[in-house]
Amino acid sequence: MTAPGRRSSTFTRLLRHGFTDPSAAERLLDSAELAPLRNDPILLDALGATADPDLALHGLVRLLEAQSGHTARRELLDTVIAAKPLRDRLLGVLGASAALADHLARRPGDWHALVMYEPSDLHPGVEEFERGLAEATDPVSLRVAYRRCLLSIAARDVCGTTDLAETAAELADLATATLRAALAIARAAAPEDAALCRLAVIAMGKCGGHELNYVSDVDVIFVGEAVDGADEGKALRSATRLASHMMRICSETTVEGSIWPVDANLRPEGRNGPLVRTLSSHLAYYQRWAKTWEFQALLKARPVAGDAELGEEYVAALEPLVWKAAERENFVPDVQKMRRRVVENIPVAEIDRELKLGPGGLRDVEFAVQLLQLVHGRADASLRSGTTLNALQALAAGGYVGRGDAVQLDDAYRFLRSMEHRIQLYRLRRTHLVPEDEADLRRLGRSLGLRADPVAELTREWKRHTSVVRRLHEKLFYRPLLDAVAQLAPGEARLSPEAARERLVALGYADPAAALRHLEALASGITRKAAIQRTLLPVLLGWFADSADPDAGLLNFRKVSDALGKTPWYLRLLRDEGAAAENLARVLSAGRLAPDLLMRAPEAVALLGDGDGGGLEPRGRAHLEQEILAAVGRADGAVQAVTAARGVRRRELFRTAAADIVGSYGTEAQPVEADRGALTDRVGGAVSDLTAATLAGTLRAVVRDGWGETLPTRFAIIGMGRFGGHELGYGSDADVLFVHEPRDGVDERQASEAANKVVSEMRRLLQIPSSDPPLLIDADLRPEGKSGPLVRTLKSYEAYYRRWSLVWESQALLRAEPVAGDEELGRRFVELIAPLRYPEAGLGDDAVREIRRLKARMEVERLPRGADPKLHTKLGPGGLSDVEWTVQLLQMRHGSDVAGLRTTRTRTALAAARAAGLLSDEDAGILDEAWVLATRVRNAVMLVRGRAADTFPSEARELGAVGRYLGYGPGHVGDMLDDYRRTARRARGVVEELFYGG
């Protein structure tokens, strides 16, 4: 009978030793099996040292219950108390792995595998494991023997006898021995097949890299050859049967469970390819068809079973191809894109718990290390290790990775892999997810030596290490490039000039020597400025490399830094505002236009931040006009006033271009803009508003300079074409009409002279050569074209349109909208032209035929000689002209009846026509997609080349940059051109039906 107070005392002691259910533990300690040890403090201390004392105690009781009799139980108990090594090993395993506790309950004699401490037992290799599996003759006995070997590995692991790297190597050696045993069983079952072929098993992945997990797919590739005199076809079929049987022996579930899946999907052609190939067939595939990731996978290839000579021949034949992989076009982007794709495929609910694949996870370390190996392993054989930690150490020793970075990554990798091991060890299940249950987290934390507050400490350490990996895995590739040109501490290794050149070439830099000069100019020295640059540049280099022209990005960054380096805010902005540095990198490497605009006034870089610069959101028309008119009011004379207006225009063009680039490329903080139509509308609206505000300011400056506050005639500017439609691109001229009306008492001739002088002076001032881009005014859409007067009175317009107007002029007026000057006069002009652009009775047949004739003639006569019509965004089939003329025909036919069609904007009118049932949803969608794409291509060409064009550029880098803007990765410009042709072809089909056939 328990004495009063005894229960309370035991209860408290159990809590102090880490038990979470002291009541259940008391009952187990009071059981008959543990009666001899009930009051033994050694047992309680040993249980308290395990990851989960409750689990360990429960497992010990089950193991005692499973013993065959009193003598066997007594032997186990005596050994547990007397032999500390066994006690620590056995209880350590029972407290960390419910699955191995289950195995011991089924196979109660296997605890003896934990007793001995021979020297060979401390660090066994393949040979020792082969002896441990030697008696296995079928899948069941192989599983039992495998678990017995696994017991000893787990015991050494949880007791700290082996570290992470040694444990992973032992698991790989056990897998090697198991594959050999399984193949031996398969060969014994089919001796006739074994006699016909030579079969080599090549380990890949973590098994090949000698860094296996407790529970992981074992990746393999099979190589087969016929024995002398045998038919190759028959031999390969025999080898395939042996390989398949070997895989089943390891993978299938029996009464003793399974071992692990054997996965052969890394073979050529994956699961669609033959399971076994000859060496020559492997070689032919890798020489002709293999993708970049397949060479990356071969880094870890290692012969492990079967014909050793054939396995070595396989590795020797393919190794030269592996070390040439970095010479492949788009090598680095391909590897980085594959990594991004892996992250994107993780379910959202799991991404924060993913140890292996998530951001800052194990795969980030492995990818970064493998990338560096492939780039530099060509010339440095010391880097050719399949084991991640060994390769990382070699990279640091060679100066390819900074020593401090390597130490941090090594620590993080070991911690994260240890977490992964202990998570898998608990149930012997393949998982990389951190558990959510409190008890699981507590066990995990304690198993890693975190005892004070296991859950909080584990979470803190886990997040700290993933943060380190996230910060370093990108920087790892770029930091040593700076060390190659900077002063290093004594004893520090650095990249050689040749190694730095190789790395820059792999990143896509066309002129690595110039890039190194830029890095030296930016980062060398002991100034605070150089120190900040050394912090920024590793990340910036990565962003530059993610563009079509890294050289231009780095050169432009040097220019901006030279211009702003002495200002106190510039480097602080890039360092402290996360978005600013990435935005700047994207803008500087995306083409010529935005950097050119920025170089003319580098202080505009402040717009790229999150603070008071206003950010990249376009400013509205009213705001722009207010700022420009205020600047004009402060200026001394028209020249100074228009210079100020053009300065605002340049700054706002940069803001618009930068926002467009960032929205199209995407950044860490801001994903790619999904609605490309909205992005296009934003650019068109912003540039159109800016042009209107600039014209308003210029008009105010000219009038004030020549006539004071009041011009002798009312004066209005009417936007036409893409300007009136709020669809201006970066390279568009401002299509306008000028209308005036003499003020009361002013002679019409005097008024006309004043109006013409205003127009002449505006055009001159807006085109004066300066650091700001000119604004070209095009008035060719006026009545009588270039032959007609530049400015007309409202009455003159009325007379002309009443008597002489042609159908094309009515069509052009669909886009007319007042943009500057006298608002009342502009409104009356719009009222005047309403019957022309939206005729009350619609269009007559003659007018429709005339529009179609003009369109057909334009397609033939205005297309530039030598241009590919299918890729001409304006005049080609399915281009802007096709879509706009089709929409405008609908507007002129139905605008008087359908209010929504009475708009100057193409996409708005198209949506209204769809809503009114004038065309199907499908046809409207096809036209809208084609119009948006063609507009974006024109914008992209201007951003990339710095000058307007209606066709895709022919130069490879420029074409690649257009592709990046449009969302196509490196090496996919062919897909971009195919997609454009397909989109335009579909649009042309709709145009044929609606415009020419309707």
Side-chain angles (χ1 to χ4, degrees), residues 440-707:
D440 290 333
L441 290 170
R442 182 176 183 274
R443 181 190 318 106
L444 179 57
R446 284 175 59 90
S447 76
L448 296 171
L450 307 173
R451 298 300 173 95
D453 186 352
V455 176
E457 290 179 77
L458 173 68
T459 303
R460 183 168 59 249
E461 285 298 293
W462 169 36
K463 296 302 181 185
R464 180 176 70 82
H465 284 297
T466 55
S467 176
V468 166
V469 173
R470 290 185 72 171
R471 177 170 54 84
L472 289 181
H473 100 273
E474 291 282 357
K475 178 178 120 174
L476 200 67
F477 203 76
Y478 309 109
R479 168 70 68 184
L481 290 168
L482 303 186
D483 294 343
V485 298
Q487 293 294 321
L488 296 184
E492 278 284 300
R494 69 167 79 221
L495 282 183
S496 67
E498 180 60 24
R501 190 196 71 80
E502 286 179 346
R503 192 174 296 192
L504 286 163
V505 169
L507 284 166
Y509 286 83
D511 189 350
L516 282 172
R517 288 196 300 273
H518 298 325
L519 292 177
E520 185 172 12
L522 288 163
S524 49
I526 58 173
T527 64
R528 183 170 176 274
K529 168 184 161 187
I532 296 175
Q533 288 282 22
R534 286 194 291 272
T535 301
L536 291 168
L537 275 165
V539 182
L540 289 168
L541 284 169
W543 288 324
F544 294 147
D546 191 36
S547 73
D549 196 349
D551 300 81
L554 181 55
L555 172 60
N556 288 332
F557 179 69
R558 181 180 175 184
K559 289 179 179 178
V560 173
S561 295
D562 287 346
L564 293 177
K566 293 183 180 179
T567 59
W569 55 268
Y570 167 61
L571 290 175
R572 188 170 65 242
L573 170 79
L574 299 185
R575 182 192 64 194
D576 298 342
E577 293 199 26
E582 187 173 5
N583 289 346
L584 179 62
R586 298 298 183 198
V587 166
L588 293 181
S589 56
R592 296 179 185 172
L593 178 65
D596 285 350
L597 292 169
L598 182 59
M599 298 308 170
R600 291 168 180 173
E603 66 276 3
V605 76
L607 299 175
L608 300 170
D610 307 317
D612 298 331
L616 296 179
E617 279 299 311
R619 302 165 82 191
R621 165 87 172 271
H623 193 146
L624 291 169
E625 196 165 310
Q626 182 182 18
E627 181 183 1
I628 289 176
L629 291 177
V632 167
R634 293 190 298 269
D636 183 13
V639 173
Q640 189 182 102
V642 176
T643 298
R646 289 175 66 181
V648 173
R649 177 172 177 264
R650 180 214 356 94
R651 184 198 69 209
E652 295 304 319
L653 276 175
F654 172 73
R655 188 198 304 268
T656 302
D660 189 14
I661 290 166
V662 170
S664 297
Y665 272 70
T667 64
E668 288 183 10
Q670 177 181 328
V672 173
E673 173 73 59
D675 186 348
R676 298 306 174 91
L679 192 58
T680 306
D681 291 344
R682 198 151 57 237
V683 171
V687 178
S688 300
D689 286 346
L690 179 54
T691 301
T694 305
L695 291 178
T698 304
L699 176 60
R700 172 74 63 86
V702 169
V703 170
R704 191 188 63 179
D705 206 45
W707 293 272

Side-chain angles (χ1 to χ4, degrees), residues 750-941:
Q750 178 189 356
S752 180
E753 287 176 355
N756 277 282
K757 187 175 180 180
V758 166
V759 172
S760 176
E761 188 66 1
M762 285 181 67
R763 297 177 87 173
R764 182 185 73 83
L765 292 172
L766 288 169
Q767 296 180 53
I768 291 177
S770 77
S771 61
D772 298 314
L775 175 55
L776 302 179
I777 296 175
D778 186 341
D780 289 353
L781 290 176
R782 64 187 183 270
E784 302 178 77
K786 294 180 180 179
S787 303
L790 198 57
V791 188
R792 288 176 182 262
T793 64
L794 187 63
K795 287 183 179 179
S796 175
Y797 276 106
E798 182 180 14
Y800 176 85
Y801 287 138
R802 185 174 62 251
R803 297 186 60 190
W804 308 110
S805 176
L806 301 174
V807 68
W808 73 264
E809 292 176 301
S810 297
Q811 183 181 350
L813 289 170
L814 285 167
R815 312 272 257 164
E817 180 173 292
V819 293
D822 190 294
E823 293 182 7
E824 173 63 19
L825 182 60
R827 184 186 60 77
R828 286 161 57 204
F829 180 85
V830 169
E831 290 175 353
L832 166 69
I833 63 172
L836 293 170
R837 51 183 182 176
Y838 310 122
E840 190 172 341
L843 281 182
D845 291 344
D846 290 344
V848 171
R849 279 194 295 271
E850 176 64 11
I851 289 174
R852 289 172 176 165
R853 187 186 66 79
L854 286 170
K855 176 73 170 70
R857 198 178 96 190
M858 185 177 70
E859 291 175 7
V860 174
E861 296 178 359
R862 293 183 59 187
L863 192 71
R865 181 175 297 177
D868 181 353
K870 294 179 180 177
L871 294 176
H872 198 280
T873 59
K874 183 176 181 180
L875 300 175
L880 294 170
S881 174
D882 266 5
V883 177
E884 289 168 0
W885 280 58
T886 301
V887 172
Q888 289 161 11
L889 183 60
L890 291 173
Q891 287 181 282
M892 295 183 75
R893 280 179 149 180
H894 305 284
S896 63
D897 298 325
V898 181
L901 291 174
R902 297 196 284 272
T903 175
T904 62
R905 306 178 189 222
T906 301
R907 297 188 72 217
T908 305
L910 184 57
R914 170 165 44 188
L918 301 177
L919 76 170
S920 68
D921 288 353
E922 182 182 2
D923 286 350
I926 289 171
L927 293 180
D928 186 71
E929 180 186 10
W931 188 90
V932 168
L933 178 57
T935 302
R936 282 180 55 76
V937 171
R938 294 178 94 203
N939 285 344
V941 171

Side-chain angles (χ1 to χ4, degrees), residues 722-738:
R722 300 182 79 78
F723 184 18
H726 298 257
E727 297 160 359
L728 282 180
Y730 299 111
S732 302
D733 296 345
D735 289 320
V736 297
L737 300 177
F738 298 107

